[in-house]
Amino acid sequence: MASIFQGLGAATVLTPTNSIDSKKFHVSPRRSCSERKARFLVVRSDGSLNMRAHRANKLITNAVATKPDGSVASTSSSKPGHELLLFEALREGLEEEMDRDPSVCVMGEDVGHYGGSYKVTRGLAEKFGDLRVLDTPIAENSFTGMGIGAAMTGLRPVIEGMNMGFLLLAFNQISNNCGMLHYTSGGQFTIPVVIRGPGGVGRQLGAEHSQRLESYFQSIPGIQMVACSTPYNAKGLMKAAIRSENPVILFEHVLLYNLKERIPDEEYICNLEEAEMVRPGEHVTILTYSRMRYHVMQAAKTLVNKGYDPEVIDIRSLKPFDLHTIGNSVKKTHRVLIVEECMRTGGIGASLTAAITENFHDYLDAPILCLSSQDVPTPYAGTLEEWTVVQPAQIVTAVEQLCR
Amino acid sequence: KKKKEHSIGNSFFIGGVLCTLTYQNTKQSNLLIIFRSSLLSAAQHLEPNSTIDMALSQLAGRSRSSNLLKTLTAAISLVRPISTDTTPLTIDTSLPFTSHKCDTPSRAVETDPQELLFFFRQMALMRRMEIAADSLYKAKLIRGFCHLYDGQEAVAIGMEAAITKKDSIITAYRDHCTFIGRGGTLPEMFSELMGRQAGCSRGKGGSMHFYKKDSNFYGGHGIVGAQVPLGCGLAFAQKYSKDESVSFALYGDGAANQGQLFEALNIAALWDLPAIFVCENNHYGMGTAEWRAAKSPAYYKRGDYVPGLKIDGMDVLAVKQGCKFAKEYALKNGPIILEMDTYRYHGHSMSDPGSTYRTRDEISGVRQERDPIERVRKLILSHDLATEKELKDIEKEVRKEVDEAISQAKESPMPEPSELYTNVYVKGYGVEAFGPDRKEARAVLP
């Protein structure tokens, strides 16, 4: 346990020799863990408490939904929480982290005065000022690079790509500098950035604005990728990503911003490397993330009526995969269906299939079925666009085929 | 014509008795009197006093009855450290500065003998170090890419002289000398080049990835031009935390054509970031001459709304003056571009002979006329700050230091296999595994 604490100490970013004067900043409270009352806790999916528990006053489990319609059951049911939309949850998470740590700043196009193209950063510029919520010119390569350079000195920027697809212009910075600097400097620099933005197929936005970049970023060493799908995990993952010392890419989805859910009032974070059990079941494991979760849940209703009992897991962590949760599920059901919005070729599903086959081959009764988007640029026409992504009917057919 | 009269105030601190010697072109008898007194005082104390030796050697050099004095000088002068004389000297730069949309700094540079000798030593060290790296590469101890900085040493040294360790520097892959300038040690550098554990990046970075966080040296980047937005980020962080320091983002004439550079200029100028963009113009982007790659090779003017200054990069004093001016400017007004007109003797990297796109005459011409070390040597000799022999001794010392560092680096072991997996992620909340499937060897938290 002492070694874990030492590790915590070693992992903190702001050191006295850093050029940022620690007196001017409220240093991250990780160092003063005895004085600070932490009001959150990270719990692993197998229920074991993380040994840092003695700092916590309250125990909040992370999202484990027991009801099939995906609502979150909170163990601290004395407070009913508050209801909000997903973009508001992201904003709440961001605002809380910016209040807590003055080195957290936001940069992106139209995040400041305009309030964010999806309103995620609305009101933050008035509260925190123009330097902390920075409106950048349309220069993704350089402002991503700028964020990474700032992170090398100890700031914690949250870089927003107005659409994930625009971050292709910053690919060099994300791949070479963001992912690799910690390694090539022998551990001297940490890059605690969060790169976030909406991606995915929307409502007839056209090919260039409907890109899914998870597959392109997934092989960059040194970064973590998470995808949020509900207001609860959006806020939790945002907070965890900001607090993480590693660069994290947070994938949001254009169509999920207006989801409404009741989330707890207390502070909580979600584990960045953990998958979420949406609906426990017996017959087949359905692995999904982001918007496809809702298609899967819709299909699950049909499947339940037909007598199947699917286990739905929202993998949330796209890099690294939570093979612990996934593995336990595979060992239980012996059948896997992956439903994703990524492209077929080289997508997240492809990697996941390989990982599961490598590790759990003996437990599988049938080949892994992977439903992904078609390998085509997303067309504009509504009907065609519908058919590029996986629809609930296809999921039902796939499960029936798998469970034959 | 230079003044013949040199008043050198040499202070001899001898057991509390202060003896000030003023030397002028005096008659022989005076010389002998001065010499005798200084000889006596030198004999009383075991520690060599550098100023005594310096005065003696000047006497030896100048005097008519040189034989006697030279023998005595040789007997008395022991191995001495770099001169600690800090009397200010004002020396003019070789060329005037040219500027774009700002004032030029004055041509007269304030320096002192200690600093000049320090410049000489450091530049000789860097030159020796790069040539040693050349031989190590040919001996296959250094692999991959090795970009050498010889010829450009004045830029690294002059910049260091103008700034503090609180200011940040970020550069591209030709970073060996900048690393040393920032306080890196020679064994660290050679170990990293040879991929050993004792290297500054633990052997995992290589030639293009030298970093030194505690002296704000941010590397060390392989992709051309990508370090410039990072430099903007460093300046942004400095503005954010208001700590009155600046960032120098160095790039080459080849990188000056990158789009992200202009994006970075826009960003820096928009928010008045204390960023100084330094174009080390060695006139060749690998094999392509600047006139073949850039429509407008006046890199200091390319910033348009960002002011620029063109500096002779082979004159260490000009570099120092320019960087000092730039730091003051950047803290008050925002970004500025410095173009260092410099030259590299080696090819782009070790795999480039360097002579297919330029003539050997050109290289030797520059070496004869503009070599930075020769320039400082001439300055030192003409101002009588040291003798030829002493400078040669410094060079020999430096050579020995480099050889020692190499042998020390050779003894360092290769990294352990488990180092393959360290530093990919930072251990923190919940991260316990490597790779995508969590079954790799777990790292033990330190």
Side-chain angles (χ1 to χ4, degrees):
Chain A
M1 174 140 141
S3 60
I4 294 176
F5 276 106
Q6 269 179 302
L8 274 182
T12 50
V13 154
L14 295 168
T15 62
T17 53
N18 194 293
S19 60
I20 295 178
D21 186 354
S22 53
K23 287 197 287 283
K24 292 182 188 164
F25 276 133
H26 169 56
V27 174
S28 161
R30 279 180 219 115
R31 284 210 224 134
S32 53
C33 49
S34 50
E35 304 143 305
R36 178 168 167 85
K37 287 200 231 166
R39 289 169 291 146
F40 62 88
L41 186 72
V42 173
V43 178
R44 297 183 44 159
S45 61
D46 58 6
S48 64
L49 280 183
N50 199 300
M51 283 310 283
R52 300 166 207 136
H54 80 280
R55 291 191 285 149
N57 289 339
K58 282 187 187 150
L59 172 63
I60 314 275
T61 56
N62 58 4
V64 175
T66 51
K67 293 181 197 161
D69 63 359
S71 67
V72 172
S74 172
T75 52
S76 50
S77 51
S78 52
K79 289 185 189 172
H82 55 286
E83 212 173 52
L84 40 54
L85 305 174
L86 194 142
F87 72 86
E88 289 168 352
L90 286 167
R91 187 197 316 149
E92 227 179 66
L94 192 49
E95 199 173 338
E96 281 174 21
E97 288 304 302
M98 288 179 81
D99 278 329
R100 183 177 165 273
D101 184 355
S103 61
V104 178
C105 54
V106 182
M107 51 184 79
E109 295 158 15
D110 283 328
V111 295
H113 295 188
Y114 189 81
S117 50
Y118 293 95
K119 297 173 286 204
V120 173
T121 49
R122 180 182 279 182
L124 294 183
E126 285 84 45
K127 183 170 171 189
F128 294 107
D130 277 346
L131 203 61
R132 279 189 83 184
V133 185
L134 192 62
D135 275 326
T136 62
I138 306 176
E140 284 79 10
N141 197 353
S142 47
F143 73 71
T144 310
M146 188 176 102
I148 294 167
M152 283 168 93
T153 64
L155 288 191
R156 308 182 83 90
V158 177
I159 301 169
E160 171 172 320
M162 189 185 274
N163 188 296
M164 268 291 172
F166 305 162
L167 289 182
L168 284 173
L169 288 160
F171 205 107
N172 175 51
Q173 296 289 349
I174 296 175
S175 162
N176 288 330
N177 293 331
C178 183
M180 298 191 191
L181 268 171
H182 186 63
Y183 191 85
T184 56
S185 66
Q188 286 180 63
F189 296 110
T190 54
I191 318 285
V193 295
V194 177
I195 299 174
R196 50 160 292 265
V201 176
R203 296 265 180 258
Q204 295 188 256
L205 296 176
E208 290 164 347
H209 293 74
S210 315
Q211 297 199 64
R212 290 129 278 171
L213 294 201
E214 308 81 82
S215 50
Y216 302 170
F217 289 136
Q218 68 176 319
S219 50
I220 300 174
I223 58 160
Q224 285 188 262
M225 305 200 307
V226 285
C228 63
S229 47
T230 64
Y232 183 88
N233 61 33
K235 179 175 173 186
L237 289 173
M238 170 73 97
K239 288 170 74 88
I242 293 176
R243 292 188 197 189
S244 167
E245 297 296 327
N246 297 303
V248 179
I249 305 185
L250 173 59
F251 290 93
E252 302 154 11
H253 198 287
V254 278
L255 293 182
L256 297 184
Y257 278 127
N258 290 320
L259 282 179
K260 190 180 278 201
E261 193 186 359
R262 183 154 231 117
I263 64 168
D265 288 330
E266 308 84 35
E267 198 180 358
Y268 68 93
I269 62 171
C270 293
N271 190 336
L272 283 176
E273 294 93 21
E274 205 164 343
E276 184 180 325
M277 178 75 70
V278 183
R279 180 191 188 284
E282 292 292 323
H283 290 162
V284 59
T285 302
I286 306 184
L287 302 172
T288 180
Y289 65 92
S290 192
R291 179 181 167 221
M292 289 295 113
R293 167 186 173 142
Y294 297 93
H295 281 207
V296 167
M297 293 314 293
Q298 206 178 330
K301 284 196 199 125
T302 320
L303 285 169
V304 164
N305 289 338
K306 289 195 173 182
Y308 297 97
D309 188 15
E311 177 156 295
V312 180
I313 296 180
D314 180 346
I315 60 174
R316 261 182 12 196
S317 168
L318 304 178
K319 183 181 167 94
F321 291 132
D322 182 6
L323 285 182
H324 183 86
T325 312
I326 294 171
N328 286 342
S329 177
V330 172
K331 288 175 190 170
K332 189 166 63 162
T333 65
H334 311 294
R335 290 180 166 80
V336 180
L337 171 68
I338 301 174
V339 180
E340 54 159 3
E341 201 174 336
C342 226
M343 308 292 222
R344 176 121 208 128
T345 311
I348 298 286
S351 303
L352 194 50
T353 308
I356 296 175
T357 317
E358 236 171 63
N359 292 304
F360 307 114
H361 184 259
D362 290 333
Y363 297 96
L364 291 171
D365 282 347
I368 302 176
L369 210 50
C370 180
L371 294 177
S372 30
S373 297
Q374 305 306 310
D375 276 326
V376 295
T378 314
Y380 166 72
T383 45
L384 291 180
E385 189 188 58
E386 239 178 68
W387 285 102
T388 42
V389 293
V390 181
Q391 298 298 327
Q394 291 169 310
I395 303 173
V396 173
T397 322
V399 170
E400 287 174 343
Q401 186 189 339
L402 204 51
C403 291
R404 196 169 314 136
Chain B
K1 220 185 175 188
K2 280 215 181 101
K3 281 196 211 164
K4 272 232 151 181
E5 189 182 270
H6 298 265
S7 348
I8 302 166
N10 288 321
S11 311
F12 296 90
F13 292 92
I14 303 169
V17 175
L18 202 66
C19 191
T20 309
L21 180 74
T22 315
Y23 170 66
Q24 293 195 359
N25 260 339
T26 56
K27 293 182 191 141
Q28 202 77 343
S29 52
N30 285 347
L31 286 175
L32 284 171
I33 293 167
I34 296 164
F35 178 80
R36 211 184 300 132
S37 66
S38 54
L39 186 59
L40 279 171
S41 38
Q44 279 166 20
H45 299 271
L46 299 171
E47 273 182 59
N49 183 315
S50 61
T51 46
I52 300 176
D53 290 350
M54 196 153 74
L56 281 177
S57 54
Q58 282 157 7
L59 289 169
R62 291 273 190 113
S63 139
R64 299 264 153 76
S65 60
S66 48
N67 278 336
L68 171 66
L69 290 170
K70 269 188 187 152
T71 340
L72 287 165
T73 318
I76 289 171
S77 72
L78 308 163
V79 175
R80 64 176 163 93
I82 294 174
S83 165
T84 49
D85 186 6
T86 49
T87 45
L89 273 177
T90 309
I91 301 177
D92 274 1
T93 62
S94 57
L95 294 171
F97 296 99
T98 39
S99 72
H100 167 75
K101 296 201 177 164
C102 71
D103 301 319
T104 53
S106 119
R107 260 181 93 172
V109 185
E110 298 270 320
T111 178
D112 55 56
Q114 180 186 12
E115 192 175 49
L116 281 175
L117 281 163
F118 176 75
F119 285 165
F120 181 83
R121 186 177 203 285
Q122 287 296 98
M123 289 203 284
L125 182 72
M126 291 180 178
R127 178 68 60 91
R128 187 70 229 134
M129 167 182 113
E130 295 292 73
I131 294 177
D134 182 324
S135 354
L136 283 177
Y137 191 90
K138 289 181 175 140
K140 295 214 195 243
L141 283 166
I142 300 178
R143 314 302 299 271
F145 291 122
C146 191
H147 304 90
L148 299 176
Y149 202 69
D150 54 334
Q152 297 182 218
E153 301 91 354
V155 176
I157 295 288
M159 191 182 292
E160 281 302 326
I163 60 177
T164 68
K165 291 290 190 288
K166 270 189 73 189
D167 300 309
S168 315
I169 297 185
I170 189 169
T171 181
Y173 41 78
R174 216 177 285 278
D175 55 353
H176 304 169
C177 298
T178 324
F179 173 71
I180 298 292
R182 280 267 99 176
T185 63
L186 280 174
E188 252 179 6
M189 178 212 150
F190 282 113
S191 310
E192 184 61 36
L193 285 176
M194 296 197 268
R196 308 296 171 103
Q197 261 180 30
C200 53
S201 302
R202 316 244 285 255
K204 298 201 284 194
S207 160
M208 298 191 285
H209 297 284
F210 284 8
Y211 303 94
K212 196 158 170 63
K213 182 167 188 180
D214 49 13
S215 38
N216 285 320
F217 176 55
Y218 290 89
H221 295 274
I223 302 294
V224 168
Q227 76 277 9
V228 180
L230 290 184
C232 259
L234 302 175
F236 176 76
Q238 285 167 337
K239 188 182 170 98
Y240 195 95
S241 52
K242 301 191 186 60
D243 59 2
E244 295 300 302
S245 48
V246 295
S247 298
F248 285 80
L250 281 68
Y251 58 96
D253 48 297
N257 300 315
Q258 277 265 321
Q260 47 192 329
L261 184 74
F262 295 93
E263 292 180 14
L265 279 171
N266 180 34
I267 283 179
L270 194 60
W271 300 320
D272 290 324
L273 301 182
I276 298 168
F277 297 92
V278 180
C279 179
E280 293 180 292
N281 184 6
N282 56 24
H283 305 286
Y284 293 94
M286 202 163 97
T288 309
E290 61 172 349
W291 55 271
R292 290 182 64 223
K295 182 76 179 171
S296 153
Y299 298 106
Y300 68 108
K301 285 193 188 161
R302 286 250 202 119
D304 187 22
Y305 41 82
V306 175
L309 193 63
K310 181 159 176 165
I311 301 172
D312 179 7
M314 305 296 250
D315 179 357
V316 63
L317 293 171
V319 173
K320 175 185 165 186
Q321 183 84 326
C323 290
K324 219 159 85 167
F325 172 80
K327 178 171 173 174
E328 279 160 25
Y329 186 93
L331 283 173
K332 274 203 311 269
N333 303 331
I336 181 171
I337 300 180
L338 299 179
E339 181 185 338
M340 304 282 182
D341 188 350
T342 179
Y343 199 83
R344 55 168 162 81
Y345 299 141
H346 269 91
H348 165 75
S349 71
M350 286 307 299
S351 55
D352 171 23
S355 49
T356 52
Y357 46 87
R358 51 186 189 175
T359 59
R360 288 195 199 277
D361 289 336
E362 183 189 308
I363 306 174
S364 48
V366 174
R367 206 189 267 272
Q368 268 168 3
E369 285 166 37
R370 298 177 65 202
D371 187 69
I373 302 182
E374 287 312 308
R375 185 190 303 267
V376 176
R377 191 199 298 267
K378 282 190 201 128
L379 273 175
I380 291 177
L381 291 176
S382 65
H383 286 267
D384 281 322
L385 306 176
T387 58
E388 279 254 6
K389 183 181 174 305
E390 278 158 3
L391 295 181
K392 287 234 186 305
D393 283 340
I394 291 179
E395 285 180 322
K396 283 198 201 125
E397 217 183 288
V398 148
R399 200 187 191 106
K400 215 167 73 126
E401 200 181 316
V402 167
D403 287 337
E404 268 168 23
I406 292 179
S407 45
Q408 196 183 335
K410 280 184 184 165
E411 283 167 27
S412 169
M414 285 293 201
E416 297 288 315
S418 63
E419 279 281 323
L420 180 63
Y421 297 110
T422 56
N423 301 128
V424 181
Y425 292 105
V426 178
K427 296 304 147 206
Y429 289 110
V431 178
E432 284 187 22
F434 302 98
D437 56 0
R438 262 211 228 181
K439 77 167 185 175
E440 293 301 323
R442 284 157 174 255
V444 177
L445 290 173

